[in-house]
Structure formats: C-alpha cells, structure tokens
Amino acid sequence: LMLLFCLVAVKKFEKAVNDYLVPLLPSWNTTMPKSLELQCCYGYGSGYWRPDDDHAIMLFRVSRYPENPEYIFNIMFHEFVHMLIETPIIRKYHVPQNLKERIVDMICYEYIKKPVQPKFEKSFANAYITPETIKTDLPGAVAKMMTDYMLLQQKQNSAIQK
C-alpha cells in the first residue's frame, strides 16, 4: 500500500511542480535540478539535499501507512519548495527556521492547499509573504521581512539590556 501511495504521489508531484513551481523559478532566482532522487522509508521526518545545481535528493520517512494518500504528496511538495528556495533566498537572507517553515507553508497552501500548521498563524512572516509576493518577488519580500525582523530583534535586545 505504501508503494502505491508513493507512486501516485510522484505522478501528482511531477504535475504540481510543472504547473505551479516551474513558472516561479525566474522570480525566485532559482533553477530546477536536472535530476531528483526520491528516497522513501519508514520513520519520522523528511529532508532535502542539493549537492549542486544539477542534482537533488529528497528523503521522506513515513512511520505507517498514511490514512490520507495526500500525505506523501504534501511532504514531497513541501520539501521540494524548501530545496528550491534554500540557497537563493533562505541562506542569502539568513532566515531563521521558524520563518523559513512559515514561508514554505504559505507557498504550499497557496498552490496545493496543504493544511497550514496552526503554530504559524501569528507568524512575523504573514505581513510580508502573500500570494502576490510569492508570485512576483519572493526574494524582495523576504529581504524586507528580514530587515524589519532584525530591527525588531535589536529593539527587543536593547529593551532587555536596560
């Protein structure tokens, strides 16, 4: 059953990437890897690794048969978005983990309606990352967000020191 869910997810993933993410690549200043290796195994968690521009690896672990076949597709799409924006946006602007997860969640919700994690409902990113900025200028929105975020952090640190 797990193998069947993975095969169905791969087909759906391929279509979603071509329909939704490929058109965004130029505005995100990123490229599509020439090859993608998918590794599915049992356990918890998922991850991605892009050793160079041409190759990418995504690992996702599923602890049991998912009740929802969309589960594997959602993980694949989520991790692929992470991988696409990691170097040109996340690392470039030094985005902390909680904001990085919120950005990816918002992209996934916008395109595949993946449920958003409730812990991010009041995220600092919400004012900057919108459906419009995702499509037109995600790097610019993240740069502005991080400038304001760092200013807020400095103010909070100054207040604590007083």
Side-chain angles (χ1 to χ4, degrees):
L1 189 58
M2 173 72 79
L3 182 59
L4 178 61
F5 282 169
C6 288
L7 292 173
V8 169
V10 167
K11 284 293 188 194
K12 188 171 181 177
F13 168 76
E14 186 176 43
K15 180 170 176 20
V17 165
N18 287 323
D19 289 353
Y20 304 128
L21 298 180
V22 168
L24 300 172
L25 297 178
S27 68
W28 289 1
N29 299 324
T30 193
T31 60
M32 187 67 65
K34 291 180 181 167
S35 71
L36 174 63
E37 178 182 331
L38 298 173
Q39 300 176 357
C40 180
C41 61
Y42 290 99
Y44 290 100
S46 55
Y48 55 92
W49 181 46
R50 192 167 183 181
D52 56 53
D53 286 344
D54 291 338
H55 305 93
I57 301 166
M58 287 188 342
L59 170 67
F60 52 100
R61 297 176 189 94
V62 181
S63 63
R64 58 185 170 79
Y65 299 126
E67 287 119 24
N68 181 351
E70 293 291 301
Y71 178 78
I72 295 171
F73 166 69
N74 287 343
I75 291 171
M76 292 171 72
F77 194 86
H78 179 97
E79 293 303 321
F80 197 70
V81 169
H82 266 298
M83 189 196 58
L84 288 175
I85 67 173
E86 183 69 30
T87 298
I89 298 173
I90 301 304
R91 287 185 189 169
K92 181 177 181 178
Y93 298 109
H94 308 285
V95 179
Q97 183 67 29
N98 64 325
L99 295 178
K100 175 173 87 166
E101 289 298 332
R102 179 55 173 160
I103 292 166
V104 171
D105 261 13
M106 293 172 83
I107 293 167
C108 290
Y109 179 77
E110 179 64 22
Y111 291 103
I112 64 167
K113 303 304 180 215
K114 176 183 176 271
V116 175
Q117 299 178 51
K119 67 182 176 183
F120 296 130
E121 286 177 358
K122 296 185 184 205
S123 173
F124 188 84
N126 294 355
Y128 302 88
I129 311 304
T130 65
E132 184 61 29
T133 62
I134 289 169
K135 292 173 189 154
T136 61
D137 189 17
L138 185 62
V142 172
K144 172 75 171 129
M145 176 189 75
M146 288 309 300
T147 297
D148 293 351
Y149 182 78
M150 295 309 293
L151 288 171
L152 178 63
Q153 293 297 311
Q154 288 172 354
K155 287 179 187 176
Q156 289 175 344
N157 288 341
S158 294
I160 290 171
Q161 292 175 354
K162 288 181 182 180

